[in-house]
Amino acid sequence: MVGSAILRRLQASGFKELITRSHADLDLCDAAAVDTFFAQEKPEVVVLAAARVGGILANHSYPADFIQDNLGIQTSVIGAALKHGIQRLLFLGSSCIYPRDCPQPMQEAHLLTGPLEPTNRPYAVAKIAGIEQCWAINRQHGTRYLAAMPTNLYGPGDNYDLNGSHVVPALIRKCHEAREAGADRIVVWGSGTPRREFLYCDDLADACVHLLGLEEARMAPLFNDEMPPLINIGCGSDQSISELAHSVARAVGFRGAIELDPSKPDGTPRKLMDVSRLASLGWTASTPMDRGLALAYKDFTARFYSK
């Protein structure tokens, strides 16, 4: 989802020399294969959007896969970038890097100031390692490797597998299937009270291209010895999971009841990004949630239910 959105945005901006690989063509956990790829293609700028991602169920079921795969991807790609002289790299992480009970909204300075949320700690630790890797390489080698931490994302190309998806695509699928089956209710995990921030994936892509296009003087404050080269990407507002479920139901046209299951885990109570640093660099999100959900649902039906 994220890589495709960034590719669309770069193409719309007129970039022609774009180098991509699918997972089938290049296993990013294979350091030797990644090194060969860099040696052959000689990229000038690297955007690392690849990752193993998923919701609470996937993180709970496959914690070893989440930490091992993400560490493998990051180590291979960032290491190869350094070896082959890449000066600019954008590493994409996640808002789950911040402490479970982090002050709200979460500032970049809150990194490593408290315990992580247990339900996604292996994934968060891997992403924190990626931030540290970028920062260490910058300090030692004078590179400009930037770590961007998006909030919860949704949109075209999302994963709708109920065993591994995040909350928005899971709700889209549940509401659609319930509507088609004539069901009178859907069940949503948790109490419904946790609050989350959501960003349409094409807005994230726009933010990434904006950051990559900034002149050196504006980016310079992000690269220093005192703070990691870290920047939050979000919309700056949030909603409860219960509110989200009703918003998705409206977008899909499901009119049944939404039943909460408080026996299931809630995860972090609240995750709202402080996006003032990004705003100071001239970017803010532009896609309202209702429009984003409509576009996401259109993509879902086109991919899975088109005739």
Side-chain angles (χ1 to χ4, degrees), residues 22-277:
S22 68
H23 177 70
D25 295 327
L26 178 62
D27 180 1
L28 295 181
C29 290
D30 185 338
V34 172
D35 181 71
T36 299
F37 166 77
F38 272 76
Q40 293 175 344
E41 297 293 347
K42 298 179 173 59
E44 295 179 358
V45 177
V46 173
V47 179
L48 179 49
R52 174 181 282 273
V53 299
I56 288 179
L57 177 59
N59 274 273
H60 175 75
S61 301
Y62 308 105
D65 292 348
F66 270 80
I67 191 165
Q68 290 176 182
D69 288 354
N70 284 296
L71 286 174
I73 290 168
Q74 295 159 198
T75 302
S76 297
V77 175
I78 299 174
L82 173 63
K83 177 181 176 180
H84 292 277
I86 308 301
Q87 292 297 303
R88 299 194 64 193
L89 178 143
L90 182 63
F91 166 66
L92 295 175
S94 165
S95 61
C96 73
I97 63 165
Y98 294 113
R100 180 184 190 278
D101 298 315
C102 193
Q104 303 291 315
M106 300 180 293
Q107 301 174 7
E108 289 87 350
H110 291 146
L111 180 67
L112 296 177
T113 58
L116 297 167
E117 161 59 36
T119 57
N120 56 26
R121 185 168 53 209
Y123 176 72
V125 167
K127 288 300 179 180
I128 292 169
I131 297 168
E132 289 291 324
Q133 188 177 7
C134 289
W135 191 21
I137 290 172
N138 287 345
R139 300 200 309 274
Q140 185 172 337
H141 297 280
T143 51
R144 289 292 185 261
Y145 292 3
L146 180 63
M149 299 299 113
T151 189
N152 300 282
L153 302 169
Y154 70 98
D158 212 339
N159 171 24
Y160 293 93
D161 179 356
L162 294 180
N163 291 317
S165 63
H166 286 104
V167 62
V168 171
L171 286 171
I172 287 175
R173 179 171 174 177
K174 282 186 175 183
C175 287
H176 174 86
E177 293 182 347
R179 190 196 71 187
E180 293 298 296
D184 63 354
R185 68 188 59 241
I186 64 166
V187 177
V188 177
W189 273 31
S191 67
T193 59
R195 300 188 67 83
R196 294 291 184 269
E197 176 183 13
F198 298 96
L199 185 70
Y200 187 60
C201 64
D202 285 62
D203 278 1
L204 168 65
D206 190 62
C208 290
V209 174
H210 177 81
L211 289 170
L212 289 170
L214 288 176
E215 60 273 17
E216 176 67 20
R218 294 191 70 186
M219 293 294 289
L222 295 176
F223 303 106
N224 57 72
D225 291 346
E226 287 72 43
M227 289 288 293
L230 181 61
I231 188 164
N232 292 338
I233 300 181
C235 63
S237 62
D238 63 359
Q239 59 189 288
S240 71
I241 295 299
S242 178
E243 291 168 334
L244 171 68
H246 285 88
S247 295
V248 172
R250 287 193 298 271
V252 173
F254 173 67
R255 294 180 173 80
I258 294 174
E259 182 179 301
L260 301 170
D261 181 0
S263 70
K264 296 295 191 296
D266 272 338
T268 304
R270 191 182 188 194
K271 291 203 302 182
L272 176 64
M273 297 286 234
D274 183 325
V275 293
S276 56
R277 177 174 289 182

